[in-house]
């Protein structure tokens, strides 16, 4: 896994309302578009310098498309980045259905099997 590449995706998409809306509406299309248009740029806002070696693994791509934050966490994606992007995507719907912090409680519940264990490293 390229933790850097997955974390870059989570950070960039969460920080851009247009990308975030596209990710919520059609995750597969946005993941593909991001890889083609944004992913290989060096840095966040650079549109000139690119790299040719970064790409998602099939497992990473599937987890991103399926919004599988448990799998992303277990692969080493940064826990704060996974939490904040999926709060941005799901929080309003969860609040309407189950009240405040309901998504955060689900997130914690789905990761509760990690209690007492060392977190996966978030280092590159």
């Amino acid at each position: 896994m390229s933790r850097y590449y997955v974390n870059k995706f989570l950070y960039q998409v969460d920080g851009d309302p247009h990308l975030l809306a596209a990710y919520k509406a059609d995750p597969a299309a946005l993941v593909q578009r991001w890889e083609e248009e944004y992913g290989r740029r060096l840095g966040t806002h650079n549109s000139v310098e690119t790299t040719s070696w970064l790409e998602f693994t099939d497992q990473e791509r599937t987890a991103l498309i399926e919004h599988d934050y448990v799998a992303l966490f277990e692969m080493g994606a940064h826990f704060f980045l996974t939490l904040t992007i999926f709060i941005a995507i799901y929080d309003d719907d969860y609040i309407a259905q189950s009240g405040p912090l309901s998504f955060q409680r689900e997130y914690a519940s789905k990761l509760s099997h990690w209690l007492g264990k060392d977190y996966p490293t978030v280092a590159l």
Side-chain angles (χ1 to χ4, degrees), residues 68-71 73-74 83 94 101-115 119:
D68 188 346
Y69 50 87
V70 174
F73 176 85
E74 291 176 345
L83 177 61
Y94 275 69
L101 299 175
S102 53
F103 176 76
Q104 290 88 329
R105 286 191 302 269
E106 179 179 300
Y107 181 94
S109 174
K110 287 189 175 181
L111 291 172
S112 66
H113 62 284
W114 280 94
L115 288 172
Y119 289 131

Side-chain angles (χ1 to χ4, degrees), residues 64-83:
L64 289 167
I65 289 169
E66 294 177 356
H67 293 178
D68 188 346
Y69 50 87
V70 174
L72 291 167
F73 176 85
E74 291 176 345
M75 287 186 274
H78 197 283
F79 51 87
F80 183 75
L81 296 175
T82 59
L83 177 61

Side-chain angles (χ1 to χ4, degrees), residues 9-108:
F9 173 89
L10 297 169
Y11 177 79
Q12 280 189 323
V13 173
D14 191 25
D16 184 315
H18 300 291
L19 292 176
L20 187 64
Y23 186 43
K24 183 176 181 178
D26 188 347
L30 188 273
V31 169
Q32 180 179 348
R33 181 176 137 214
W34 186 88
E35 278 193 281
E36 293 168 358
E37 296 178 21
Y38 298 87
R40 292 197 170 114
R41 294 180 188 176
L42 297 177
T44 305
H45 299 290
N46 178 9
S47 60
V48 178
E49 294 178 293
T50 61
T51 182
S52 60
W53 66 271
L54 291 171
E55 63 183 26
F56 292 126
T57 65
D58 291 340
Q59 184 181 16
E60 293 164 349
R61 193 174 293 106
T62 298
L64 289 167
I65 289 169
E66 294 177 356
H67 293 178
D68 188 346
Y69 50 87
V70 174
L72 291 167
F73 176 85
E74 291 176 345
M75 287 186 274
H78 197 283
F79 51 87
F80 183 75
L81 296 175
T82 59
L83 177 61
T84 59
I85 193 169
F86 293 114
I87 285 173
I89 289 172
Y90 292 117
D91 203 38
D92 289 341
D93 297 334
Y94 275 69
I95 287 172
Q97 181 180 359
S98 303
L101 299 175
S102 53
F103 176 76
Q104 290 88 329
R105 286 191 302 269
E106 179 179 300
Y107 181 94

